[in-house]
């Protein structure tokens, strides 16, 4: 057993982090299930896979939420941009399928 594993406070912090990580994965999975349905809808209705005005509004909204939560808005924007880019990639794939 390492020194860190025998530290009960550190172990408690790590359990909390592990729980949050699991919750994040489940939330992201649900988000992607919904965006997959959006991509299928867009493909069926010949709508473009990207919506730049929606993306801009979402980034602004989440930057404001991040500031309210004392989270770095730059980080939140990078995180959201990563998710948006992945969603668009899925939507473009749905158009080809």
């Amino acid at each position: 057993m390492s020194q860190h594993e025998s530290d009960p406070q550190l172990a408690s912090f790590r359990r909390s982090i592990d729980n949050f990580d699991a919750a994040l994965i489940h939330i992201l999975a649900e988000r992607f299930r919904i965006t997959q349905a959006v991509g299928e809808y867009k493909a069926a209705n010949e709508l473009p896979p990207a919506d730049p005005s929606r993306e801009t509004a979402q980034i602004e909204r989440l930057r404001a939420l991040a500031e309210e939560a004392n989270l770095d808005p730059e980080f939140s924007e990078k995180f959201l941009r990563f998710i948006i880019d992945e969603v668009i990639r899925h939507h473009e794939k749905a158009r080809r399928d």
Side-chain angles (χ1 to χ4, degrees):
M1 183 181 296
S2 76
Q3 177 185 359
H4 298 297
E5 292 170 345
S6 64
D7 182 330
Q9 183 62 57
L10 183 58
S12 176
F13 288 146
R14 287 181 172 167
R15 279 191 303 276
S16 293
I17 290 168
D18 291 349
N19 288 337
F20 281 113
D21 288 346
L24 281 170
I25 294 300
H26 288 284
I27 289 169
L28 283 171
E30 185 60 27
R31 188 186 194 288
F32 275 94
R33 277 190 280 281
I34 295 166
T35 59
Q36 181 179 0
V38 170
E40 292 167 1
Y41 178 85
K42 286 181 171 184
N45 290 279
E46 298 182 6
L47 297 170
D51 184 344
S53 63
R54 164 104 173 129
E55 294 164 25
T56 299
Q58 281 294 90
I59 287 170
E60 288 174 8
R61 184 177 74 85
L62 291 181
R63 282 183 68 94
L65 287 172
E67 288 177 9
E68 290 172 14
N70 294 318
L71 180 66
D72 180 0
E74 292 296 317
F75 168 77
S76 66
E77 182 173 343
K78 288 176 186 176
F79 183 73
L80 183 61
R81 174 52 54 198
F82 176 78
I83 292 171
I84 290 170
D85 290 347
E86 187 66 11
V87 167
I88 292 169
R89 189 178 70 78
H90 289 186
H91 289 185
E92 288 169 346
K93 183 181 181 297
R95 292 177 67 86
R96 293 188 303 266
D97 292 345

